[in-house]
Amino acid sequence: MIHTSPTPARLTVARLYRGRTKREVAQALEVSPAALTQYEKGQRRPSEDVLTELARVLEFPVRFFGRPSTLMPLKPNYRSLSSVSQKLRNSVEAAAVLFEDFVERVCELAEVSIAPPTVPDLGRLSPEDAARDLRRQWYLPEGPVENVVALLEEHGVLVRLLHPRDRQIDAFSYWTGERPHVVLNPAKADPYRSRFDAAHELGHLVRDRSDRELSHRELEQEANRFAAEFLVPGDEWQYTTKPPPGVTSPRAHLRAKAKWKVSIAALLYRSRATRRLSEPAYRSAMVQYSRSGFRRGEPSPWGRPIPHEVPTLLARVDERLIEQGVDVESIRDELGLPRDAWTEFRGFAPTTGRRA
């Protein structure tokens, strides 16, 4: 039994993580939705019997609810809002909030430092100028970015993979205080497009920190422009590479795809943006792109795709914990995390469900 008052924010986060509505949980507890609202707002303390039953219903250890809360609400940049239910968004955001609490503690115990964030606010610049300026600030050499995810982690961005059950949601990003986060969808089979996703979210982080009077669609378009310039700088693409023969043919871009590690679709877009392709030639190339079946899956250069880029911070943490002989189960108990959340956050997510 718990002997301290539960932290209201943790009641809410646990419920949202499980994808449960107030009405559903209140019904399971045999209390009114109004009473549950009072519990979550801290206006009323649940009895220990109710709290124990709440822990059973939400499948969270009772200990979780009594820990002090550093949990903060999020303002994520979602790629698409129309195809994602509010219930799923709530659940994914709750997981994101819990993740930061988790990662800070395990890094502290493993004595692994999280790089200080060095993601500047470049919202005053155009997407292309912001991408060029960031490449200069981060001292990136000319040519392709070798590993976008590793670069993000190097500059203090926490990168996480979505649970497989959340694959309806595309990549997204957000800030918690001064810490930037990027969440990627591992269900994408194309590592080239996944790299673009990571750069796209970086564009949101550096340009959308303050509210700008743009529509969601305009913000997404600008993040795409940032990612295109960051991964394939226009001056290098336009002046240091020769247009391949039959430039309107998507297959002619396979060699460039191997160099820059971005999709053929992105390279065709860059050709249009840098005026290597006229608008009619671009449209013709995209028609051929569709007829070739590339929308269902692009070929890899010479049949050898690049490996998926994955975050490595927690793998390093696990190694250190093993070296130090730390009992990881004791950490899970301390944090009060359920086993499925613990497994998910450590990067070894199960393939079967967590949410109703």
Side-chain angles (χ1 to χ4, degrees), residues 7 33 46 77 86 113 117 126 200 220 239 245 257 260 335 337:
T7 305
N77 297 298
Q86 184 64 53
S113 298
S126 72
H200 174 105
E220 289 302 301
Y239 300 117
K257 178 176 181 174
W260 293 99
L335 294 174
L337 282 176

Side-chain angles (χ1 to χ4, degrees), residues 64-86:
F64 171 81
F65 300 106
R67 295 189 65 239
S69 181
T70 57
L71 309 180
M72 302 173 64
L74 309 180
K75 291 180 63 178
N77 297 298
Y78 285 114
R79 192 73 54 87
S80 173
L81 296 175
S82 60
S83 61
V84 180
S85 69
Q86 184 64 53

Side-chain angles (χ1 to χ4, degrees), residues 6-241:
T7 305
R10 290 183 172 271
L11 302 177
T12 304
V13 167
R15 176 177 61 78
L16 295 179
Y17 180 75
R18 293 299 181 197
R20 307 292 293 274
T21 66
K22 287 182 181 179
R23 182 174 296 278
E24 290 169 342
V25 174
Q27 188 173 27
L29 295 178
E30 298 182 349
V31 301
S32 68
L36 186 62
T37 297
Q38 291 174 333
Y39 299 154
E40 292 189 4
K41 289 184 175 180
Q43 297 170 344
R44 178 179 171 188
R45 176 182 173 179
S47 68
E48 295 199 348
D49 287 343
V50 169
L51 190 60
T52 300
E53 182 64 8
L54 183 66
R56 186 192 67 78
V57 168
L58 297 179
E59 301 176 77
F60 267 74
V62 173
R63 179 188 298 273
F64 171 81
F65 300 106
R67 295 189 65 239
S69 181
T70 57
L71 309 180
M72 302 173 64
L74 309 180
K75 291 180 63 178
N77 297 298
Y78 285 114
R79 192 73 54 87
S80 173
L81 296 175
S82 60
S83 61
V84 180
S85 69
Q86 184 64 53
K87 186 175 181 179
L88 180 56
R89 268 186 277 162
N90 287 343
S91 183
V92 168
E93 289 172 27
V97 168
L98 290 175
F99 176 73
E100 183 171 31
D101 192 45
F102 155 81
V103 78
E104 287 187 353
R105 183 57 179 147
V106 295
C107 285
E108 179 185 0
L109 289 171
E111 299 179 351
V112 171
S113 298
I114 306 175
T118 54
V119 179
D121 183 354
L122 303 176
R124 69 191 185 284
L125 302 178
S126 72
E128 291 78 12
D129 285 344
R132 288 188 284 269
D133 191 63
L134 188 62
R135 285 184 69 112
R136 284 193 296 269
Q137 288 194 43
W138 285 1
Y139 300 102
L140 297 186
E142 291 185 350
V145 178
E146 286 303 313
N147 188 312
V148 183
V149 169
L151 183 67
L152 292 176
E153 289 193 312
E154 179 185 340
H155 288 277
V157 181
L158 284 181
V159 184
R160 183 170 65 89
L161 303 181
L162 275 169
H163 189 283
R165 292 277 313 261
D166 301 329
R167 64 184 59 183
Q168 293 167 265
I169 290 185
D170 216 323
F172 65 95
S173 54
Y174 59 94
W175 289 82
T176 55
E178 295 301 312
R179 177 67 62 184
H181 298 246
V182 165
V183 183
L184 300 174
N185 189 335
K188 286 197 171 180
D190 189 334
Y192 301 90
R193 294 188 180 184
S194 184
R195 277 170 52 88
F196 194 90
D197 282 351
H200 174 105
E201 296 308 324
L202 177 59
H204 282 304
L205 292 175
V206 301
R207 300 192 67 250
D208 299 342
R209 295 177 71 172
S210 55
D211 292 334
R212 294 188 293 137
E213 294 183 1
L214 293 175
S215 68
H216 180 264
R217 181 179 180 182
E218 289 171 324
L219 290 172
E220 289 302 301
Q221 289 173 340
E222 290 197 355
N224 281 337
R225 286 167 53 192
F226 172 94
E229 180 68 29
F230 189 77
L231 295 176
V232 188
D235 54 354
E236 295 183 57
W237 179 241
Q238 189 169 10
Y239 300 117
T240 65
T241 59

